[in-house]
Amino acid sequence: MSHPPVLVVRPAPSRPLGAFYRNLGLTMLATHLTAAGMEPVLADLTFDSYPVALECGARAAAFSLYIDDFAEGARLAGTAREAGLLSAVGGPHATLLGQDVVTAADAFAVAGVGDCLPEAMPVIAGLAAGRAPAGPVVVTSGDGRATMDALTPDYSVWPDDGRYFPVFPVEFSRGCRQHCPFCTDPVLRGGVAVDPVERTLGTLRTLAADHDPLWVRFVDSSLSSLGPDLDRLLDAMTAAGLPVQWSAYAYPHDIGAGLAARMARAGCRALFLGIESLAPGVRVGKHHAKDPGEIARAVDTLHQHGIFVHGNFIIGLPGETPDTVRQTLDGISRIGFDSVGGGPFYLTPGSTFERRPGKFGIRILDPAWRVRQHISFYDPAHEYFATATLTQPQMKTLAAEFRSQVETARLACWNLSDYALLCWLSAGGTTTALTALWQQPDDQMTPAQQQVTSILKEKTGAVVPGDAASFVTAARKLASGSTHQAGER
Ligand code: B12
Ligand code: SF4
């Protein structure tokens, strides 16, 4: 067979909104499979039948997994093995586990650690030809330093049949210049690599040829931290006059009047700001810890340019107490966030906190937590660490109280992330209509409003509708109806 098929499997996501957008790791996996002479066959299990997919003639299956779907991916790889297929895994959780990935899940014949797609292709080609390695193979990516992919993303593995919101993930950089102590991004890739502006612009141009307007979610760890490289990209986007509207992660300390104006000119509609805490004494490792007023100024500046701002918080970082959560809430009440979200602190593999727990007063309660984290992710009773001030159950209780305070005092929409907003805007809705809908009590909503908002809100327990393929159409219908009622923005 000249182009051996390889199943590219996406498990049904843990949060239903994830079913309705394209993932860049899987896109790059498919792009490399095609370039290496194989034929990627998508099995997106929200929409497609796994038993049918396993019968497509492929002898290999490939997965790209995050912590929340790693356990399910491992289970699906076991089912593939029973059906005679050999599986490969890669993606953020495999990268963070490193060599431990084969201890955490034994159903994978090949595990890719890091940005190793070029190195993994010959090995996956072997699986696709039915050659089983003697034992699990771990493929790595050189020295782990950030490098951009040599291939430009080919999104064609995702069917263009209306399953997905027309919001495309695009990356301009890999790695992060900041080193926040709770975060694993600096561990996934050392240093920072930035794409040549012309290449990213080329990706946007190709997408814009088929989509007007073009909705883009930059997946960069911190787009705003790229300095002159970002200025060049934004100026080139503006000069090219592409119909791009986008959102991104940003670092509050980077936001000034000049950058906000440049971003807005280049089509920025929303930013996700990782704030984490507004209380002095909580170990956020971010510049604003010294001057919380900086956040208020950044949010005002972004609003002056019409940019929607989501502020994200972590409850329970070292130094957190009920009193520091109150200080954070007090700070939020003096800042005009459009949306606020967050959850309890989780210790993650490879972060500064994990590497030097003693220095930050962190106690490890389960020494094997790294290789079990994907299973315990869903077990609210599993405790694997504590800080000097809080246990994990206390963090969870405080996080629930934090949410309830934000909602009761109507400080902002709860967890209206830039992703949900972009999906809604891409469906023809307006920001004003969505924020109004977001704050509406469930019992005052029509069934259609309830269905669409429960998914956009990523509510725990919200399920993808039985007829998943019709969800985006349902959102479009609601979005265009609400636009007529609520005026524009
Ligand atoms: C954008 C983003 C999101 C977006 C979009 C997610 C999506 N599915 O498209 C949103 C906001 C929705 C999101 C949600 C979540 N995210 Co997120 N996200 C990111 C971010 C910033 C970039 C991801 C990305 O697209 N990178 C670009 C692509 C190309 O890189 P990649 O996926 O790593 O793939 C490369 C390699 O891994 C490798 N590769 C990938 N697949 C395969 C497969 C094979 C076989 C091989 C050999 C190699 C290989 O090659 C690729 C390079 O070409 C990362 C941090 C980061 N900078 O990486 C966090 C990150 C991945 N997210 C994280 C988390 C925890 C989540 C959530 C679980 C949060 C939650 N509690 O709900 C959810 C899970 C969603 C899901 N399962 O899809 C963690 C993952 C930690 C972990 N142990 O898995 C990260 C690392 C952030 C962090 N520091 O905590 N996320
Ligand atoms: S929290 Fe954000 S800014 Fe800080 S290191 Fe992680 S990705 Fe970078």
Side-chain angles (χ1 to χ4, degrees):
M1 205 184 298
S2 56
H3 296 288
V6 174
L7 263 194
V8 171
V9 186
R10 174 157 78 167
S14 64
R15 302 198 183 201
L17 182 58
F20 303 106
Y21 50 70
R22 301 157 180 88
N23 161 303
L24 195 57
L26 279 170
T27 307
M28 295 318 298
L29 171 62
T31 303
H32 279 264
L33 288 170
T34 308
M38 290 170 270
E39 187 203 344
V41 178
L42 181 69
D44 188 344
L45 301 186
T46 302
F47 308 96
D48 305 321
S49 149
Y50 198 40
V52 170
L54 290 173
E55 293 296 319
C56 79
R59 297 165 90 175
F63 296 76
S64 178
L65 301 173
Y66 288 33
I67 181 147
D68 63 319
D69 54 12
F70 192 84
E72 176 62 1
R75 190 187 70 76
L76 294 166
T79 310
R81 187 167 57 187
E82 283 160 21
L85 281 79
L86 298 161
S87 292
V89 65
H93 196 58
T95 300
L96 289 175
L97 284 173
Q99 298 287 334
D100 287 345
V101 62
V102 289
T103 313
D106 65 4
F108 298 108
V110 172
V113 171
D115 298 339
C116 63
L117 285 167
E119 294 85 351
M121 284 307 121
V123 190
I124 296 178
L127 303 185
R131 286 195 296 276
V137 176
V138 178
V139 182
T140 56
S141 61
D143 63 2
R145 305 291 301 166
T147 45
M148 292 309 292
D149 219 294
L151 302 179
T152 49
D154 172 358
Y155 300 89
S156 63
V157 72
W158 306 97
D160 227 346
D161 58 1
R163 284 179 178 187
Y164 310 110
F165 286 105
V167 178
F168 290 85
V170 172
E171 62 178 347
F172 178 52
S173 67
R174 285 186 179 168
C176 187
R177 289 222 159 92
Q178 320 293 350
H179 289 97
C180 308
F182 54 86
C183 181
T184 51
D185 286 35
V187 187
L188 286 165
R189 302 171 177 103
V192 180
V194 183
D195 214 21
V197 165
E198 264 316 310
R199 258 174 45 113
T200 298
L201 208 58
T203 300
L204 296 174
R205 275 207 182 92
T206 308
L207 287 168
D210 293 328
H211 303 273
D212 181 1
L214 169 62
W215 299 94
V216 163
R217 211 290 170 174
F218 282 104
V219 300
D220 304 56
S221 295
S222 180
L223 188 79
S224 62
S225 305
L226 298 172
D229 290 315
L230 177 63
D231 291 346
R232 275 192 289 277
L233 175 71
L234 297 175
D235 292 349
M237 284 165 69
T238 306
L242 297 175
V244 189
Q245 307 204 40
W246 55 272
S247 75
Y249 290 114
Y251 190 80
H253 187 67
D254 298 328
I255 308 294
L259 183 60
R262 251 195 173 106
M263 285 181 158
R265 266 199 308 274
C268 179
R269 296 295 300 269
L271 290 180
F272 178 116
L273 298 184
I275 316 285
E276 331 310 358
S277 169
L278 290 169
V282 177
R283 305 295 291 252
V284 289
K286 292 193 163 178
H287 290 82
H288 63 255
K290 296 189 194 91
D291 175 16
E294 188 181 328
I295 307 287
R297 292 191 289 278
V299 172
D300 288 348
T301 306
L302 291 168
H303 281 164
Q304 280 156 20
H305 293 280
I307 298 174
F308 180 96
V309 187
H310 169 80
N312 215 62
F313 292 81
I314 300 177
I315 305 298
L317 288 166
E320 188 92 276
T321 61
D323 197 48
T324 59
V325 176
R326 267 191 295 277
Q327 290 174 50
T328 293
L329 283 163
D330 184 49
I332 292 173
S333 70
R334 286 182 277 117
I335 301 172
F337 289 112
D338 300 291
S339 161
V340 164
F345 167 51
Y346 289 97
L347 190 64
T348 47
S351 59
T352 305
F353 284 151
E354 193 239 0
R355 280 180 286 128
R356 276 174 275 153
K359 180 171 176 211
F360 299 99
I362 291 170
R363 277 178 301 125
I364 305 295
L365 308 178
D366 172 3
W369 66 275
R370 282 169 57 97
V371 290
R372 280 211 281 263
Q373 204 189 7
H374 60 287
I375 300 165
S376 55
F377 192 72
Y378 293 105
D379 176 1
H382 181 255
E383 268 185 87
Y384 64 97
F385 76 99
T387 65
T389 45
L390 294 175
T391 62
Q392 278 189 280
Q394 287 170 330
M395 291 172 202
K396 287 172 190 167
T397 306
L398 276 176
E401 282 169 19
F402 172 76
R403 174 184 177 161
S404 143
Q405 288 289 324
V406 171
E407 290 183 314
T408 315
R410 296 178 84 90
L411 298 181
C413 289
W414 175 258
N415 204 28
L416 201 179
S417 74
D418 61 311
Y419 232 130
L421 177 64
L422 241 56
C423 289
W424 174 261
L425 295 177
S426 78
T430 63
T431 306
T432 317
L434 185 58
T435 49
L437 195 56
W438 213 263
Q439 312 256 21
Q440 208 164 302
D442 278 1
D443 59 6
Q444 290 170 24
M445 286 191 200
T446 64
Q449 288 173 328
Q450 271 182 30
Q451 185 204 43
V452 172
T453 52
S454 74
I455 289 190
L456 291 179
K457 285 183 173 181
E458 312 214 39
K459 280 194 173 171
T460 335
V463 283
V464 170
D467 181 10
S470 68
F471 176 72
V472 172
T473 309
R476 199 168 276 136
K477 236 166 124 185
L478 185 63
S480 58
S482 62
T483 304
H484 298 309
Q485 288 158 20
E488 303 306 317
R489 182 176 146 196

